[in-house]
Amino acid sequence: MKRAGNRRGQATALTILTPVRPRWHLWLRAWFALARVLPLQRWTLLRLQRIHFARFALVSRLDGRRLHSRHLLFESNFNGNWHSYLEAFCQVFPKGMWGLWGSAWGWPGVAPVKGFKDWVERNEFEASHYWSAYPEATTRDILAALDTEPRIRALAQAAPDMDPERFEAAWADLVSAAVRAP
Amino acid sequence: MVAPVLEGQEQELEDTLLALPAGTQSPLEGVDGLHFARWVIVPHLEYGAEPQPRDRLERQLLVFTCTFDGTLDRHVGELLAGLGQTADDVWRHCDGWPGRANARAWLLDHRVRTGLFVAAYPKATREEVRGALAAREKLLNLAEDTQHGDPQGKRRDFLERFASST
Amino acid sequence: MVWGFGAQQSAYMFVHFDDGPALMGELAGRVATAKFLPEQSAIVNVALSGAGLLELGVCRDEFPGELMDGMRVRAEMLGDTGPSRPEKWDPGFAAAGTHAVVTVSGKDDQAFKQLAAETRTLLGPQLVGEQAASMLGGNREHFGFADGLSQPSIEGLGPDTPGQGVPTKKGWRPLKAGEFVLGYEDEDGVRPPAPEYPLDRNATYMVLRKLYQDVAGFRRFLFDHEGADEAKQSELASKIVGRRHDGTSLLLDPEAPEQNDFRFGGDPEGMRCPLGAHVRRSNPRDALGFGARLSSRHRIIRRGMPYGEPLPGGETVDDGADRGLIFVCFCASIERQYEVVQTQWCNDGDAFGLGREPDLLLGGDGSARMTLPGNPPRFVRRKKPFVLTRGGEYLYVPSLSGLRALAGT
């Protein structure tokens, strides 16, 4: 309800900028490099199946000059409301949160969730314009669709040569697979 | 990317952005290969906690983030081509904007490198996503419509709708 | 109000203040308290709307935004659109500007009628509307299903029945009281946000809704899909609800003694209890993944009651009578608990991998499809809703000391 500018159909934007404690930027850079090679942390994040895309970026210069602290910019495109998204993160991804946002001056930790939500609220900025290429689709819709589409093509190719019984069975399998959430 | 907003122009910039039509009427709709995008104004920095040395922004910041297909180089070209006049309408409020005809270098210059990128569907292009969504919806509607029909009818209806996808 | 009272009848009396504090003072002498509850045959309770609280002089900022906004303002977000929109609501039920709802409930017919009459006299001209409700036989609701069987187990309050709390590795544990009552620790390990003392403890928030049920429409739907075969009709209805008519779970043997002791983990594709079935949506247990961590903060206590005369059995033509459910639930945060269940689990299907499919029984405001998993899956479609919202409000239920404070004593 609060941040109408951050919603577009099923998608919600979250943009956070936080000051990074001294030397923690080195830890973050190492973390980023590691995560590029080992997909572990991303995998946990993605298991929630609510994020389309998200990114972390370390900013050294703002407004053309170095500030006292580097800043961590986070932007995410996700589904569902702000409250349940942040709660879900605290519930299932606490270590990752510490690893990334633990770098921030004033980091409150993930428990209680209320403290974390208040901290996010203080550090987030509302989008003045937010756009999505497919606003009515959730991450799950898309994952299901990307899984289904090649199956449709496969059946379309094989169907002309199938007898009705075989087609019926293949059709049942296709619809079952299409309905199943990935 | 992040760029400072010229002093005195903050309100006009915000008004410009808020006035942009939403959804399919948005100027971003015309940018090829774009999945998500946003403009965010950062008016000040939030202070963390003691003993953090205080930082103060002298000017507000305009942040633009987006997720796109293909290379950065190609994307910047698509962005400028797709936005057209809007690129000038928005970014002329930022320091040093050279006009959209010469903006490529400026945009790249103000870019912040991504440290960690998380993608639920890293390989699918925008067209692939849209195409897959439409195909699945068509399939489920067909499944509902034909569920009581005979196998021959089902096969005929299926090929009628999906044969061209081979 | 958190204790189950076992009422057979209720009257919801809608109040517009002439002298709010005086009325609160009068009611403070009469409202039910937990200590004396088991002895009483009829009780009265009071809950206040955001408008009512302002009339009593509280500071707006102390209370949650959704309470102060009121349900009407949030109707679109809640899915009360189309035929369920506020413009179509019953003007006699919690009309705009209602300050308080006084609920009289009774186990015994005579005691109830007497207390209701006394309460009406007490309220005098401040009583601006009333809604009656009464239990139907067999604890059923108007579609014919046994209701109210599944309620959260709360630490320190009442028995801990397997299946009512949070699923754990070994079994179940009760939920923290702070999920439902202000002033106690909640599942987040802290006391939930609350107004200033003494309104901050032993109080709760209440969601009140009048839900009209199109019984004839539901019966016709079953005929359209299964013909006159009663067994098949019953099976389809059970799939939509997620329990059989007698309340037994689709995941358990009908003879099993503990009909709430089940999880959905053993039925991940919804072959036995469909992914979008009503009970699976309103209390997903472990169905959202990650144990029950994604559902344990969104539980509600339900204390509703049917209203209106039943439609005679077998009748598929609507008689124009008003009947349905007076939905009442309690929680410590309307936004985090009730509204998440309503908007994300009932009106939408994404949490269950069902896209935009709403709860076929009571979600959505128009035509809707439900996927019944299988190979191949089956699709059933309703042309219009079976349940319409006819009114509602968000309310704050004070403790006895809170009530006295609001009376100014």
Side-chain angles (χ1 to χ4, degrees):
Chain A
M1 282 298 275
K2 312 178 215 190
R3 300 164 201 80
N6 282 337
R7 288 217 69 136
R8 188 59 62 217
Q10 296 289 332
T12 309
L14 183 62
T15 316
I16 303 176
L17 193 60
T18 48
V20 177
R21 283 182 281 170
R23 286 180 295 286
W24 274 77
H25 66 281
L26 296 166
W27 157 251
L28 285 173
R29 287 208 199 281
W31 217 93
F32 292 162
L34 198 69
R36 254 188 279 264
V37 177
L38 299 168
L40 294 169
Q41 300 298 333
R42 278 180 286 179
W43 187 69
T44 315
L45 271 178
L46 295 173
R47 265 175 69 207
L48 270 176
Q49 295 192 316
R50 298 178 65 163
I51 303 178
H52 293 268
F53 303 102
R55 84 185 70 227
F56 289 87
L58 206 47
V59 188
S60 307
R61 307 173 72 85
L62 283 174
D63 192 4
R65 58 193 174 90
R66 278 194 182 278
L67 299 169
H68 288 111
S69 302
R70 285 175 172 79
H71 281 70
L72 182 64
L73 174 67
F74 172 74
E75 66 120 6
S76 166
N77 303 278
F78 64 91
N79 307 124
N81 81 14
W82 186 87
H83 280 283
S84 50
Y85 175 69
L86 293 177
E87 291 233 10
F89 264 81
C90 290
Q91 300 277 19
V92 309
F93 192 55
K95 291 202 190 78
M97 308 261 268
W98 274 96
L100 291 158
W101 281 310
S103 58
W105 283 105
W107 166 245
V110 295
V113 174
K114 177 159 187 355
F116 171 69
K117 283 188 195 169
D118 289 344
W119 178 81
V120 169
E121 201 169 354
R122 277 199 303 279
N123 288 285
E124 73 163 312
F125 298 95
E126 184 173 351
S128 300
H129 187 77
Y130 180 48
W131 177 88
S132 160
Y134 28 78
E136 295 314 312
T138 63
T139 305
R140 268 182 215 215
D141 292 338
I142 295 170
L143 292 171
L146 291 171
D147 179 73
T148 304
E149 211 261 337
R151 296 174 193 267
I152 296 176
R153 268 188 282 122
L155 184 59
Q157 198 139 46
D161 303 320
M162 282 179 167
D163 63 54
E165 253 172 42
R166 249 195 88 203
F167 176 79
E168 180 98 43
W171 172 248
D173 286 342
L174 174 59
V175 178
S176 296
V179 151
R180 202 174 302 134
Chain B
M1 108 221 4
V2 182
V5 180
L6 293 165
E7 269 182 63
Q9 305 229 9
E10 300 89 352
Q11 192 56 56
E12 207 186 294
L13 170 61
E14 190 177 359
D15 292 341
T16 305
L17 288 170
L18 291 175
L20 291 176
T24 50
Q25 306 296 320
S26 164
L28 290 163
E29 189 78 22
V31 178
D32 274 347
L34 199 59
H35 290 253
F36 291 91
R38 71 184 74 168
W39 272 291
V40 181
I41 296 175
V42 175
H44 61 263
L45 293 173
E46 196 60 36
Y47 183 69
E50 296 292 347
Q52 178 194 351
R54 284 186 186 274
D55 274 318
R56 201 147 265 129
L57 285 180
E58 280 166 16
R59 294 184 284 188
Q60 293 193 1
L61 301 172
L62 177 64
V63 175
F64 177 76
T65 71
C66 63
T67 305
F68 57 88
D69 298 322
T71 62
L72 175 64
D73 214 59
R74 204 195 92 185
H75 161 69
V76 171
E78 302 282 10
L79 190 62
L80 289 169
L83 283 177
Q85 178 61 37
T86 305
D88 279 322
D89 291 343
V90 173
W91 277 306
R92 66 181 173 81
H93 299 95
C94 294
D95 192 6
W97 173 252
R100 71 183 200 256
N102 305 307
R104 202 186 195 94
W106 186 92
L107 284 168
L108 289 169
D109 209 45
H110 284 81
R111 179 198 163 216
V112 174
R113 275 192 164 55
T114 296
L116 175 62
F117 179 60
V118 177
Y121 35 98
K123 297 196 177 63
T125 67
R126 182 178 76 178
E127 271 56 52
E128 281 165 2
V129 171
R130 283 176 168 170
L133 286 167
R136 181 170 177 262
E137 191 177 328
K138 204 160 79 168
L139 177 75
L140 292 176
N141 288 338
L142 182 64
E144 186 187 348
D145 291 340
T146 61
Q147 61 184 326
H148 302 299
D150 62 280
Q152 270 100 335
K154 284 182 192 169
R155 189 173 70 156
R156 183 195 59 230
D157 289 331
F158 172 72
L159 285 171
E160 223 171 71
R161 278 174 187 65
F162 292 102
S164 56
S165 59
T166 48
Chain C
M1 294 189 102
V2 168
W3 289 94
F5 177 61
Q8 289 297 307
Q9 299 181 67
S10 286
Y12 303 91
M13 299 181 183
F14 306 110
V15 174
H16 189 92
F17 295 147
D18 287 334
D19 186 348
L23 184 59
M24 295 303 107
E26 299 265 13
L27 286 167
R30 291 172 166 76
V31 295
T33 52
K35 212 165 30 156
F36 299 109
L37 203 63
E39 302 160 12
Q40 297 184 299
S41 318
I43 56 170
V44 65
N45 270 301
V46 60
L48 302 155
S49 69
L53 285 166
L54 287 175
E55 275 291 309
L56 292 169
V58 306
C59 186
R60 179 176 258 271
D61 293 339
E62 267 189 68
F63 286 89
E66 66 273 19
L67 174 75
M68 302 316 286
D69 283 346
M71 195 185 280
R72 251 176 201 76
V73 167
R74 293 169 90 84
E76 198 179 320
M77 183 203 76
L78 293 173
D80 292 331
T81 50
S84 289
R85 64 191 190 279
E87 290 82 354
K88 296 247 165 199
W89 288 4
D90 176 356
F93 186 94
T98 299
H99 292 142
V101 178
V102 174
T103 309
V104 179
S105 299
K107 286 196 261 217
D108 169 85
D109 189 53
Q110 202 172 357
F112 169 75
K113 286 196 163 82
Q114 188 173 344
L115 183 57
E118 282 169 14
T119 309
R120 282 186 205 103
T121 307
L122 170 68
L123 294 173
Q126 297 183 90
L127 174 65
V128 295
E130 186 173 331
Q131 171 74 50
S134 59
M135 297 296 278
L136 304 174
N139 277 339
R140 306 249 168 156
E141 48 73 54
H142 281 285
F143 289 139
F145 285 83
D147 195 15
L149 296 157
S150 177
Q151 296 285 7
S153 268
I154 303 168
E155 199 176 76
L157 292 171
D160 178 21
T161 320
Q164 311 274 47
V166 182
T168 61
K169 284 198 174 73
K170 294 206 199 108
W172 303 85
R173 65 161 177 83
L175 286 145
K176 293 282 188 194
E179 290 294 307
F180 308 100
V181 185
L182 301 180
Y184 298 86
E185 200 180 288
D186 65 13
E187 290 285 313
D188 194 20
V190 292
R191 297 198 178 165
E196 295 283 307
Y197 176 84
L199 301 173
D200 63 334
R201 44 187 36 244
N202 295 321
T204 188
Y205 294 104
M206 173 176 166
V207 178
L208 175 69
R209 284 162 75 73
K210 178 170 181 174
L211 299 178
Y212 166 76
Q213 289 174 256
D214 181 6
V215 181
F218 185 64
R219 289 178 185 168
R220 277 195 316 273
F221 166 89
L222 294 173
F223 265 99
D224 288 345
H225 282 82
E226 301 292 20
D229 187 332
E230 271 184 32
K232 282 200 166 160
Q233 281 192 16
S234 183
E235 196 187 324
L236 176 57
S238 306
K239 289 271 181 186
I240 292 169
V241 171
R243 283 187 190 263
R244 300 183 197 93
H245 284 81
D246 60 4
T248 55
S249 166
L250 292 178
L251 291 181
L252 297 173
D253 190 303
E255 306 302 319
E258 290 293 353
Q259 281 298 327
N260 279 311
D261 189 1
F262 65 88
R263 290 152 211 258
F264 293 112
D267 184 29
E269 303 207 350
M271 296 294 189
R272 279 144 75 197
C273 180
L275 299 175
H278 173 65
V279 305
R280 198 161 175 153
R281 286 171 183 268
S282 50
N283 182 15
R285 302 172 182 239
D286 60 331
L288 300 176
F290 302 100
R293 277 175 285 172
L294 296 180
S295 61
S296 60
R297 296 265 287 162
H298 309 290
R299 299 289 300 275
I300 54 177
I301 295 175
R302 289 171 306 129
R303 293 268 177 259
M305 195 177 282
Y307 75 91
E309 291 304 308
L311 186 69
E315 193 55 64
T316 54
V317 176
D318 188 40
D319 60 358
D322 191 10
R323 64 176 61 84
L325 182 75
I326 302 301
F327 172 86
V328 175
C329 82
F330 300 103
C331 50
S333 168
I334 295 173
E335 188 180 31
R336 170 171 55 82
Q337 292 163 276
Y338 165 71
E339 288 190 344
V340 167
V341 177
Q342 180 72 53
T343 62
Q344 296 193 55
W345 296 347
C346 180
N347 294 339
D348 188 69
D350 194 58
F352 315 102
L354 295 168
R356 304 288 78 70
E357 276 182 28
D359 182 331
L360 197 75
L361 195 68
L362 60 86
D365 71 354
S367 161
R369 173 178 82 200
M370 179 173 177
T371 304
L372 300 174
N375 191 317
R378 182 182 171 195
F379 303 97
V380 294
R381 178 174 285 273
R382 70 167 199 226
K383 297 197 194 82
K384 52 188 183 121
F386 301 126
V387 173
L388 300 178
T389 311
R390 285 257 167 96
E393 191 53 283
Y394 289 147
L395 304 151
Y396 165 76
V397 185
S399 63
L400 190 51
S401 17
L403 203 50
R404 291 199 184 106
L406 290 167
T409 50

